[in-house]
């Protein structure tokens, strides 16, 4: 087992817009992060992943970049960035930035030039096609953000491809000159001293030749179809990433994590294999996509624990010794994990701690999304007009046309899975706007900030925050947390998720009750326990050493024992 800093470290994801505002404009900024470095250090995290901070018109909150080497003015200046990087490095925290190169903003100079004429030297930095025979979009692919993936440009009569919003034109990775521009930009950031990149939808950069339509029978009520078979982990994606590794990544001691939607575990091994010279790890989506109904995330359905076990067991087992797992249950695109996978009412504290125990005892690198460490929950705005995320707003426009969902149905889907659930401002204290801003927050603060906030959690020795600090301290002492081999037990149990972790001669037993009812753990014969097992951590007070043969686990109870 090759030890690496990015395997043993814990990553804390900061969504700058919602983290901490220091100049009262209601928008989080870099100086706000600088002020919170002591908080991050005390939490015990090792690496920060910063969502995009580059110049952008903010159509998709910074995932539409108009200049890759300038800082978004609302976030601050390049010298603020350099100060942040220095302050983080001073306290031993590394900084990983967000690389968004499947697409740029339509306000990027490259695109402004590209759309001027078919003869522009920048024309094939992007993906342009003439109208179809019927004089419509070149194919029937649906954008991730509703509607067509193509936008007509009047100047030249051609359409350009945008898998996301129309202000996010896809870059043409077939073009070597474009790839070289990207690699030059990456070198520029590495030479400034950053420690890695999270790579946005990096497995979408290679599209199938000819950009064929999906079968007509797959078109939905909106008249479009999922085109993923023609661009998810496409034909040349590994060639491009290997080239990126050769040209850039291999020259620095840096960490990379690819955001690879719909990636399979077999591809996960190809992307993260130690000797593949591609990426260190990927974000897979199978586990966060459970519980999706007829219109995906917008129509949530109940999910079963055995489904989550099957998925995570597959990834833990397949990548052991062959690659490396990222470990997350929420981020800026996902609902809050305590709401989706735990219980955000009666058992919020217990279930938040249980989920943290889960993520920090699997094999891989855990990611903490800002606010997760204090058990921040989904926000249940009473109507759709309170939401800002263009994925939600575009879907709302779509159902007004197609009537495929009522507004009430969409609202209840957004309550469960909408991205703004994760984007409400960080809750620092119980003062106005949770201490996030003295101005008007860009997105309303979750009203439960009066009881759920950092200040309250810091004073409570039994808080979720202090439990995270214990977990992170344990990780620094016990390599088994990161490297121990995972072995699932009781696979069919619908309440208890139990597994062992083994590293050399040491074995831990992890018991998690994923339900709101008591659950009886009965130790399988094959699990051998030394005469005096040691309790490592628990989220309830635990009576003195019971025999481990039978344990009645309380709702959302978590226990970790050293059993050999
Ligand atoms: O997300 C990619 C992506 O697939 C998301 O659209 C996500 O899967 C979906 O919203 C869940 O329903 C990345 C970024 O993380 C996201 O914030 C950007 O909006 C998107 O790419 C485009 O850059
Ligand atoms: Ca601000």
């Amino acid at each position: 087992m090759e030890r690496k800093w990015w395997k043993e470290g814990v990553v804390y994801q900061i969504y700058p817009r919602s983290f901490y505002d220091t100049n009262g404009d209601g928008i989080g900024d870099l100086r706000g992060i600088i002020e919170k470095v002591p908080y991050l250090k005390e939490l015990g995290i090792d690496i920060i992943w910063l969502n995009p901070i580059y110049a952008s018109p903010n159509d998709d909150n910074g995932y539409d970049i108009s200049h890759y080497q300038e800082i978004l003015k609302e976030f601050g200046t390049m010298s603020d960035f350099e100060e942040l990087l220095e302050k983080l490095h001073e306290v031993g925290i590394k900084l990983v930035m967000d690389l968004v190169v499947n697409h740029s903003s339509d306000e990027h100079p490259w695109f402004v030039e590209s759309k001027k004429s078919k003869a522009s030297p920048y024309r094939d930095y992007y993906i342009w096609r003439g109208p179809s025979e019927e004089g419509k979009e070149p194919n029937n692919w649906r954008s991730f953000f509703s509607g067509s993936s193509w936008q007509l440009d009047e100047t030249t009569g051609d359409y350009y491809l945008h898998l996301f919003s129309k202000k996010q034109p896809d870059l043409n990775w077939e073009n070597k000159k474009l790839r070289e521009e990207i690699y030059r930009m990456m070198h520029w950031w590495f030479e400034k001293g950053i420690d890695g990149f999270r790579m946005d939808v990096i497995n979408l950069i290679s599209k199938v030749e000819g950009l064929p339509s999906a079968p007509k029978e797959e078109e939905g009520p909106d008249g479009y179809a999922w085109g993923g078979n023609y661009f998810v982990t496409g034909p040349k994606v590994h060639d491009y990433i290997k080239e990126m590794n050769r040209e850039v990544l291999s020259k620095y001691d840096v960490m990379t994590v690819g955001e690879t939607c719909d990636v399979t575990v077999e591809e996960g091994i190809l992307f993260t294999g130690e000797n593949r010279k591609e990426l260190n790890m990927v974000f897979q989506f199978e586990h966060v996509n459970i519980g999706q109904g007829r219109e995906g995330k917008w129509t949530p359905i109940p999910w079963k624990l055995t489904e989550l076990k099957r998925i995570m067991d597959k990834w833990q087992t397949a990548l052991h010794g062959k690659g490396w797992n990222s470990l997350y249950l929420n981020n800026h695109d996902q609902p809050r994990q305590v709401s989706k996978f735990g219980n955000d009412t009666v058992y919020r504290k217990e279930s938040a701690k249980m989920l943290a125990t889960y993520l920090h005892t699997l094999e891989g690198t855990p990611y903490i999304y800002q606010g997760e460490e204090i058990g921040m929950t989904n926000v249940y705005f009473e109507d759709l007009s309170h939401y800002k995320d263009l994925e939600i707003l575009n879907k709302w426009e779509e159902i007004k046309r197609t009537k495929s969902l009522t507004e009430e149905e969409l609202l209840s889907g957004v309550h469960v899975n909408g991205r703004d659930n994760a984007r409400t401002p960080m809750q620092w204290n119980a003062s106005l706007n949770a201490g996030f801003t003295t101005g008007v927050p860009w997105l309303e603060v979750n009203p439960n900030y009066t009881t759920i906030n950092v200040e309250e959690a810091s004073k409570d020795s039994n808080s979720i925050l202090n439990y995270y600090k214990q977990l992170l301290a344990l990780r620094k002492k016990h390599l088994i947390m990161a490297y121990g081999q995972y072995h699932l037990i009781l696979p069919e149990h619908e309440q208890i998720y139990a597994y062992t972790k083994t590293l050399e001669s040491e074995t831990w037993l992890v018991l998690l009750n994923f339900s709101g009812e008591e659950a009886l753990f009965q130790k399988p014969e094959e699990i051998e326990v030394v005469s005096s097992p040691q309790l490592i951590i628990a989220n309830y007070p635990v009576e003195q050493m019971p025999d481990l043969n039978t344990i009645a686990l309380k709702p959302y109870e978590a226990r970790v024992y050293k059993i050999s």
Side-chain angles (χ1 to χ4, degrees):
M1 155 206 87
E2 204 182 349
R3 292 189 58 176
K4 297 279 183 187
W5 56 266
W6 45 265
K7 291 184 177 178
E8 296 169 30
V10 173
V11 185
Y12 187 90
Q13 180 194 351
I14 293 180
Y15 194 71
R17 194 169 200 80
S18 305
F19 191 64
Y20 184 50
D21 169 25
T22 56
N23 64 348
D25 64 356
I27 298 170
D29 42 56
L30 297 183
R31 300 224 61 84
I33 304 173
I34 290 170
E35 286 196 29
K36 297 298 180 184
V37 168
Y39 167 75
L40 298 166
K41 185 61 188 171
E42 199 198 328
L43 177 56
I45 54 101
D46 309 278
I47 303 154
I48 297 283
W49 155 28
L50 202 47
N51 286 101
I53 58 169
Y54 318 99
S56 162
N58 283 311
D59 186 54
D60 183 19
N61 285 0
Y63 279 94
D64 47 318
I65 295 169
S66 53
H67 203 299
Y68 285 98
Q69 292 162 228
E70 279 175 21
I71 302 298
L72 178 71
K73 60 183 178 344
E74 291 104 320
F75 286 171
T77 63
M78 188 57 80
S79 64
D80 291 331
F81 170 77
E82 287 156 0
E83 185 182 338
L84 170 62
L85 182 61
E86 189 188 346
K87 288 271 181 350
L88 288 171
H89 283 173
E90 267 168 21
V91 295
I93 294 177
K94 292 180 181 287
L95 179 62
V96 168
M97 302 270 276
D98 215 314
L99 183 73
V100 187
V101 290
N102 172 68
H103 47 270
S104 76
S105 163
D106 65 343
E107 297 181 28
H108 191 292
W110 293 340
F111 189 76
V112 171
E113 288 306 314
S114 179
K115 71 182 284 196
K116 272 183 184 160
S117 99
K118 293 187 182 181
S120 162
Y122 291 90
R123 190 68 175 179
D124 63 357
Y125 272 37
Y126 295 87
I127 299 170
W128 294 94
R129 292 292 185 279
S132 67
E133 275 114 53
E134 301 79 41
K136 291 174 54 186
E137 294 101 354
N139 68 30
N140 63 356
W141 297 354
R142 177 181 304 120
S143 158
F144 278 82
F145 295 153
S146 301
S148 170
S149 283
W150 295 91
Q151 174 63 29
L152 176 65
D153 166 53
E154 305 292 348
T155 321
T156 62
D158 273 2
Y159 288 81
Y160 63 86
L161 180 68
H162 61 85
L163 296 183
F164 291 91
S165 91
K166 53 175 66 70
K167 284 184 69 63
Q168 293 171 294
D170 278 57
L171 288 162
N172 173 19
W173 274 74
E174 298 276 344
N175 180 346
K176 187 161 177 46
K177 270 182 61 189
L178 180 271
R179 300 203 304 272
E180 286 166 354
E181 296 258 25
I182 301 293
Y183 302 153
R184 232 190 317 281
M185 174 268 286
M186 293 173 72
H187 276 297
W188 189 85
W189 281 107
F190 282 132
E191 258 123 55
K192 285 187 87 65
I194 69 167
D195 303 292
F197 277 116
R198 173 267 189 186
M199 299 188 186
D200 190 61
V201 292
I202 197 67
N203 67 322
L204 306 188
I205 59 177
S206 168
K207 280 74 171 174
V208 164
E209 182 82 29
L211 310 178
S213 271
K216 194 144 189 58
E217 59 273 18
E218 291 175 13
E219 291 177 5
D222 60 345
Y224 301 104
W226 168 242
N229 295 334
Y230 311 101
F231 54 73
V232 169
T233 316
K236 297 182 186 166
V237 70
H238 293 289
D239 301 328
Y240 295 150
I241 292 179
K242 282 181 185 302
E243 179 183 72
M244 180 193 283
N245 191 304
R246 224 177 17 254
E247 295 299 321
V248 190
L249 303 174
S250 57
K251 301 179 186 329
Y252 307 92
D253 175 20
V254 292
M255 165 187 141
T256 52
V257 51
E259 186 210 23
T260 47
C261 36
D262 292 352
V263 69
T264 64
V265 70
E266 294 75 20
E267 288 152 353
I269 296 172
L270 296 181
F271 280 118
T272 68
E274 307 271 351
N275 54 11
R276 289 276 304 176
K277 299 188 178 5
E278 293 194 23
L279 303 173
N280 297 142
M281 55 191 124
V282 294
F283 290 133
Q284 56 94 6
F285 281 68
E286 287 186 69
H287 62 322
V288 290
N289 283 348
I290 62 177
Q292 295 196 356
R294 74 180 195 284
E295 286 210 23
K297 64 188 278 186
W298 309 110
T299 50
I301 53 176
W303 53 275
K304 295 167 77 97
L305 181 60
T306 44
E307 199 182 344
L308 178 64
K309 289 185 193 181
R310 183 185 52 72
I311 292 166
M312 294 305 272
D313 186 62
K314 177 174 66 172
W315 280 88
Q316 287 284 299
T317 309
L319 268 56
H320 176 73
K322 294 224 186 75
W324 193 253
N325 275 295
S326 68
L327 305 168
Y328 78 100
L329 287 174
N330 60 188
N331 57 38
H332 65 293
D333 291 332
Q334 297 295 328
R336 290 282 178 180
Q337 63 190 42
V338 73
S339 298
K340 170 125 187 185
F341 294 98
N343 171 289
D344 61 9
T345 53
V346 176
Y347 297 107
R348 184 180 63 86
K349 281 174 87 167
E350 294 79 3
S351 66
K353 294 176 185 176
M354 183 276 291
L355 293 172
T357 310
Y358 177 50
L359 288 174
H360 289 256
T361 53
L362 291 174
E363 185 176 355
T365 299
Y367 287 72
I368 299 171
Y369 177 61
Q370 71 180 45
E372 171 192 326
E373 76 275 22
I374 56 170
M376 277 177 67
T377 71
N378 280 3
V379 66
Y380 301 94
F381 290 137
E382 74 266 16
D383 69 55
L384 290 165
S385 67
H386 292 257
Y387 293 93
K388 295 281 195 299
D389 173 21
L390 94 161
E391 185 186 43
I392 295 171
L393 299 178
N394 286 4
K395 183 68 182 177
W396 187 10
E397 285 314 304
E398 180 197 293
I399 65 159
K400 284 177 189 168
R401 283 194 312 275
T402 64
K403 309 282 182 234
S404 65
L405 292 175
T406 65
E407 294 199 358
E408 291 68 32
E409 285 171 328
L410 179 57
L411 182 62
S412 57
V414 168
H415 281 167
V416 174
N417 284 323
R419 300 196 304 180
D420 277 343
N421 283 308
R423 301 175 179 189
T424 59
M426 181 70 183
Q427 294 165 198
W428 295 103
N429 56 50
S431 71
L432 185 65
N433 290 321
F436 163 71
T437 179
T438 54
V440 176
W442 72 275
L443 176 67
E444 289 165 74
V445 178
N446 190 319
N448 63 22
Y449 75 89
T450 51
T451 51
I452 301 175
N453 60 70
V454 168
E455 192 172 275
E456 165 271 331
S458 305
K459 293 176 193 150
D460 169 6
S461 59
N462 189 35
S463 65
I464 300 163
L465 178 62
N466 281 315
Y467 191 86
Y468 268 81
K469 290 179 183 174
Q470 286 175 54
L471 276 175
L472 271 62
L474 282 169
R475 187 178 184 85
K476 292 185 172 28
K477 281 170 55 186
H478 301 281
L479 288 180
I480 191 170
M481 288 174 81
Y483 296 109
Q485 181 165 10
Y486 160 105
H487 174 70
L488 181 64
I489 57 180
L490 307 180
E492 296 315 314
H493 206 291
E494 283 298 358
Q495 287 177 282
I496 297 174
Y497 196 146
Y499 48 93
T500 57
K501 291 287 295 289
T502 303
L503 185 65
E504 286 139 22
S505 61
E506 186 175 7
T507 300
W508 283 13
L509 172 64
V510 182
L511 307 178
L512 308 168
N513 182 357
F514 263 74
S515 81
E517 291 77 37
E518 188 169 285
L520 194 63
F521 169 73
Q522 287 168 302
K523 187 180 69 61
E525 283 301 303
E526 77 267 18
I527 304 298
E528 286 172 26
V529 178
V530 293
S531 55
S532 55
Q534 178 197 342
L535 181 70
I536 299 287
I537 192 167
N539 64 348
Y540 280 85
V542 175
E543 71 282 359
Q544 278 322 306
M545 206 43 61
D547 67 54
L548 297 191
N549 294 319
T550 309
I551 301 178
L553 293 172
K554 297 181 182 67
Y556 297 104
E557 180 163 13
R559 297 192 193 190
V560 181
Y561 286 102
K562 180 177 185 304
I563 57 172
S564 81

